[in-house]
């Protein structure tokens, strides 16, 4: 037996009055009789057929049960009969005879009004049917509060190394241990196929609380790369949770997010890799100043590495404390200008030397993950050769200025210019010398400029639809000195990640169909002051999202 499902989301179980009135009118208009005008008769016959089909659909879908539908039709017929009887009893104003008993006089309804009525009824019916889908099918209501999304990326990657590069042994400690890295190759070109797969769900808990979950491929030890290298010997790809958060929005201008979530700041990949997740809590304020001006401020605390300190473990937990404030202007044609100033304090990431009295006491100051470029020192220097452990020499307190101009003069083509400047004000050569016994040159600045022309659908949020023939081209230049940013968290593609690098980037995207596109990027980068290390990276991607 079909369930008599309420047509609206309220507590009443009757049909929406507006829809019922419209259906009654349509039934009444199409009840027996010969119409006074032939063209009106054809239109009303169409409405009568539409009404019958609509009522039948409501019964089939479970919005109305059969008895309720019959009652609606019966009432419409009764109303029509009363109108006929009333018409027989009335005389026209000019004394003419009463209506023929088989005729019904109907007020003329313009065609555009009929179309609007049909569209409104159809929209309301389908909206309510969709809302009640879970109940109609006997499925739990929470399914209506979850929306799934995902994407796949197939990549060909070419890494080209210069013949003049320093050997990897020199870069991995050796006589150049101030830039110690874990580089496995500096001379042999490499080609590989890679894949990235992501599957997520947006959760709506109630009007003010939402959340999200997302799974992704990638190495479990890397916070910046979700890529999985294709090889049969891999056995199975890793697929792990990289988003798990709740977001409260008690006001339109206020949101609070906690858990593991996407970067909450206005940023570029010079400071943070686009795939880097943030753990912790962030609060964002977005008050509107006027129709053209708005502001945004984000403050957050993010644990980097939890360390259980004790009498024998002197290392402390590592945190990132951040504050960013900015302003945005929007013109009448939707062109925008954004400018933001941020302060990022990476607390307790610098290394401390072990002593003979407490061997291993500061092992926790060694970074859990690095790429390359930051100045380092051996915290086990007192123990001699064979026991080397390298930690960061400098503290990291970043002041970051980011600006962007997005012109829509040639709408839908965007012309976007982005500039980014960062300085590590935590770098102090004298303080580093006291702590490490080594004096380092001050290399604590970085900047990037980039031009993007075309559609912004390729770098928009996951909900943005890529359309066939969408296109975008990009050109940029980047220079990041050794201790300008933390090398473990910035872009993992340019120079294969890290700092102490400068060079150019070229990019292009082209939509081949809905939500399917090709992209190509080329990076040509060299080291700045370290041992010679030139790396060119070519990325060819086929992307699809759903």
């Amino acid at each position: 037996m079909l369930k008599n499902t309420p047509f609206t989301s309220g507590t009443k179980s009757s049909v929406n009055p507006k829809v019922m009135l419209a259906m009654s009118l349509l039934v009444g208009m199409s009840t027996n009789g010969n119409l006074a005008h032939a063209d009106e008769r054809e239109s009303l016959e169409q409405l009568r057929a539409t009404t019958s089909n609509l009522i039948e659909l409501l019964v089939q879908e479970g919005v109305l049960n059969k008895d309720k539908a019959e009652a609606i039709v019966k009432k419409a017929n009764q109303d029509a009969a009363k109108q006929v009887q009333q018409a027989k009893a009335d005389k026209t104003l000019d004394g003419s005879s009463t209506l023929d008993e088989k005729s019904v006089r109907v007020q003329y309804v313009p065609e555009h009004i009929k179309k609007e009525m049909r569209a409104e009824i159809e929209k309301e019916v389908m909206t309510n049917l969709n809302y009640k889908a879970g109940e109609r099918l006997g499925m739990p209501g929470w399914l209506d509060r979850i929306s799934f999304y995902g994407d796949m990326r197939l990549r060909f990657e070419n890494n080209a190394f210069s013949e003049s590069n320093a050997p990897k042994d020199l870069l991995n400690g050796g006589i150049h241990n101030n830039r110690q890295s874990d580089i496995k190759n500096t001379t042999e070109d490499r080609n590989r196929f890679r894949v990235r797969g992501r599957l997520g769900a947006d959760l709506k808990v109630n009007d003010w609380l939402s959340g999200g979950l997302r799974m992704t491929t990638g190495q479990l030890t890397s916070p910046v790369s979700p890529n999985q290298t294709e090889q049969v010997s891999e056995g199975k790809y890793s697929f792990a949770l990289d988003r798990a958060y709740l977001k409260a929005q008690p006001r339109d201008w206020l949101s609070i997010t906690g858990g593991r979530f996407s970067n909450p700041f206005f940023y570029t990949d010079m400071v943070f890799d686009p795939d880097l997740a943030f753990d912790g809590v962030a609060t964002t304020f977005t008050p509107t100043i006027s129709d053209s001006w708005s502001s945004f401020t984000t403050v957050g605390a993010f644990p980097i590495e939890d360390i259980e300190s004790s009498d024998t473990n002197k290392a402390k937990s590592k945190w990132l404390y951040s504050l960013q404030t900015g302003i945005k202007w929007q013109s009448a044609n939707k062109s925008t200008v954004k400018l933001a100033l941020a302060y990022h304090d990476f607390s307790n990431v610098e290394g401390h030397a072990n002593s003979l009295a407490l061997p291993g006491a500061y092992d926790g100051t060694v970074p859990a993950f690095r790429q390359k470029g930051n100045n380092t020192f051996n915290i086990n220097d007192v123990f001699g050769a064979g026991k080397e452990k390298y930690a960061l020499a400098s503290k990291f307190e970043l002041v970051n200025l980011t600006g962007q101009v997005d012109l829509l003069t040639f709408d839908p083509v965007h012309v976007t210019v982005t500039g980014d400047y960062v300085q590590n004000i935590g770098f102090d050569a004298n303080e580093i010398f006291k702590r490490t016994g080594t004096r380092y040159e001050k290399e604590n600045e970085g900047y990037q400029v980039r031009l993007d022309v075309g559609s912004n659908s390729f770098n928009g949020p996951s909900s943005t639809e890529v359309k066939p023939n969408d296109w975008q081209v990009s050109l940029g230049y980047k220079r990041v000195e050794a201790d300008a940013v933390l090398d473990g968290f910035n872009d993992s593609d340019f120079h294969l990640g890290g700092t102490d690098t400068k060079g150019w980037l070229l990019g292009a995207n082209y939509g081949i169909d809905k939500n399917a596109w090709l992209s190509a990027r080329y990076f040509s980068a060299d080291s700045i002051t370290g041992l010679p290390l030139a790396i060119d990276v070519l990325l060819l991607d086929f992307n699809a999202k759903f």
Side-chain angles (χ1 to χ4, degrees):
M1 179 180 294
L2 293 173
K3 185 176 181 180
N4 184 10
T5 306
F7 197 72
T8 64
S9 57
T11 57
K12 295 183 179 181
S13 60
S14 59
V15 179
N16 186 298
K18 182 171 61 176
V19 177
M20 182 175 179
L21 179 60
M23 290 191 297
S24 298
L25 176 61
L26 293 175
V27 173
M29 292 170 64
S30 55
T31 308
N32 321 316
N34 298 320
L35 300 176
H37 303 284
D39 57 342
E40 283 301 303
R41 179 182 183 86
E42 181 180 355
S43 297
L44 292 175
E45 285 297 333
Q46 292 176 357
L47 291 177
R48 180 178 183 179
T50 301
T51 303
S52 300
N53 292 334
L54 175 61
I55 293 175
E56 183 179 354
L57 173 64
L58 296 178
V59 173
Q60 292 175 353
E61 294 294 332
V63 177
L64 295 175
N65 63 20
K66 186 176 181 180
D67 293 339
K68 189 70 175 179
E70 291 177 351
I72 291 174
V73 175
K74 182 178 180 180
K75 185 176 186 306
N77 289 331
Q78 290 174 348
D79 291 343
K82 289 180 181 179
Q83 291 176 12
V84 172
Q85 293 299 325
Q86 183 65 35
K88 288 180 178 180
D90 293 338
K91 298 287 186 179
T92 59
L93 292 176
D94 59 0
S96 60
S97 61
T98 58
L99 294 173
D100 183 273
E101 66 178 28
K102 291 186 178 182
S103 300
V104 177
R105 186 176 298 278
V106 180
Q107 180 69 31
Y108 172 71
V109 181
E111 187 63 30
H112 72 277
I113 297 296
K114 298 175 188 175
K115 291 181 179 179
E116 290 177 2
M117 290 176 63
R118 291 180 188 134
E120 184 177 356
I121 293 172
E122 179 181 358
K123 179 179 179 181
E124 187 159 2
V125 169
M126 297 311 296
T127 298
N128 283 279
L129 285 176
N130 182 64
Y131 178 80
K132 290 297 179 182
E135 184 174 344
R136 184 175 68 253
L137 299 175
M139 300 171 68
W142 56 262
L143 287 177
D144 293 333
R145 301 192 296 271
I146 298 179
S147 58
F148 294 95
Y149 66 92
D151 62 69
M152 289 287 294
R153 183 178 70 194
L154 305 180
R155 167 173 290 180
F156 169 76
E157 179 175 337
N158 170 257
N159 306 144
F161 298 88
S162 171
E163 295 179 355
S164 61
N165 285 347
K168 66 176 183 177
D169 292 340
L170 293 183
L171 291 165
N172 294 337
I175 63 173
H176 195 69
N177 60 16
N178 290 355
R179 294 281 170 81
Q180 189 276 343
S181 300
D182 186 21
I183 300 175
K184 296 180 172 57
N185 174 35
T186 63
T187 56
E188 297 296 327
D189 293 353
R190 185 183 187 189
N191 296 319
R192 52 183 169 166
F193 289 104
R194 313 191 80 186
V195 63
R196 182 189 72 181
R198 300 186 297 191
L199 180 63
D202 290 326
L203 317 174
K204 181 176 176 57
V205 181
N206 51 46
D207 291 339
W208 61 271
L209 184 63
S210 60
L213 296 168
R214 193 178 76 178
M215 304 288 290
T216 186
T217 54
Q219 298 179 5
L220 299 180
T221 56
S222 172
V224 294
S225 178
N227 296 309
Q228 197 88 40
T229 300
E230 296 184 45
Q231 49 188 339
V232 175
S233 61
E234 185 74 9
K236 301 291 186 299
Y237 292 157
S238 300
F239 199 61
L241 191 69
D242 82 324
R243 297 288 187 273
Y245 67 90
L246 289 175
K247 179 179 180 181
Q249 191 160 8
R251 297 288 186 271
D252 291 341
W253 49 267
L254 171 64
S255 65
I256 305 169
T257 307
R260 168 166 283 204
F261 44 89
S262 300
N263 194 320
F265 302 104
F266 175 47
Y267 73 103
T268 74
D269 58 13
M270 182 179 70
V271 180
F272 297 116
D273 187 277
D275 291 303
L276 179 67
F278 278 64
D279 291 58
V281 60
T283 301
T284 299
F285 307 87
T286 55
T288 299
I289 301 172
S290 67
D291 292 341
S292 300
W293 292 91
S294 61
S295 65
F296 53 94
T297 299
T298 299
V299 59
F302 314 100
I304 298 173
E305 185 180 354
D306 181 66
I307 296 175
E308 188 174 1
S309 302
S310 67
D311 293 339
T312 57
N313 184 7
K314 298 297 184 179
K316 298 180 180 179
S317 294
K318 302 169 186 177
W319 285 75
L320 167 60
Y321 302 102
S322 297
L323 169 65
Q324 183 185 65
T325 187
I327 196 165
K328 177 181 178 181
W329 174 80
Q330 180 171 286
S331 68
N333 71 347
K334 304 303 181 182
S335 295
T336 60
V337 178
K338 293 176 71 175
L339 184 66
L341 180 65
Y343 171 73
H344 302 293
D345 180 13
F346 292 87
S347 179
N348 301 321
V349 298
E350 71 277 7
H352 291 272
N354 284 320
S355 65
L356 293 173
L358 285 174
Y362 289 102
D363 284 358
T365 64
V366 175
F369 177 80
R370 284 193 61 216
Q371 296 187 96
K372 59 181 179 294
N374 289 158
N375 279 304
T376 61
F377 73 103
N378 179 15
I379 65 172
N380 277 348
D381 191 53
V382 297
F383 299 109
K387 295 189 180 286
E388 294 87 352
K389 290 183 179 179
Y390 293 94
L392 301 179
S394 176
K395 294 181 179 179
F396 285 83
E397 296 178 49
L398 311 184
V399 175
N400 184 207
L401 180 65
T402 307
Q404 185 178 82
V405 178
D406 184 12
L407 299 178
L408 265 176
T409 307
F410 310 100
D411 187 29
V413 174
H414 290 250
V415 179
T416 306
V417 180
T418 305
D420 201 14
Y421 171 79
V422 65
Q423 182 178 133
N424 176 19
I425 62 174
F427 186 95
D428 186 327
N430 293 327
E431 183 270 337
I432 294 174
F433 178 75
K434 292 178 182 179
R435 187 161 39 81
T436 68
T438 304
R439 187 167 295 277
Y440 295 86
E441 295 294 326
K442 192 172 186 178
E443 301 175 74
N444 66 332
E445 295 182 88
Y447 66 87
Q448 175 177 238
V449 290
R450 175 168 173 158
L451 171 67
D452 297 287
V453 179
S455 172
N456 65 351
S457 58
F458 303 103
N459 45 16
S462 60
S463 58
T464 302
E465 180 179 299
V466 175
K467 300 180 178 62
N469 300 317
D470 279 358
W471 61 273
Q472 183 187 64
V473 292
S474 305
L475 172 66
Y477 181 81
K478 183 187 299 187
R479 177 188 169 92
V480 188
E481 294 178 349
D483 291 317
V485 299
L486 206 64
D487 70 16
F489 290 162
N490 72 340
D491 184 15
S492 61
D493 293 324
F494 189 84
H495 205 235
L496 293 183
T499 62
D500 184 34
T501 183
K502 62 181 179 179
W504 294 88
L505 63 93
L506 294 170
N509 294 285
Y510 181 75
I512 59 175
D513 207 333
K514 177 181 177 181
N515 290 332
W517 70 99
L518 299 172
S519 64
R521 288 186 294 165
Y522 179 72
F523 307 101
S524 180
D526 300 285
S527 57
I528 299 175
T529 61
L531 292 176
L533 182 61
I535 307 174
D536 292 347
V537 178
L538 174 65
L539 305 176
L540 301 177
D541 299 336
F542 176 54
N543 308 271
K545 67 179 181 179
F546 53 89

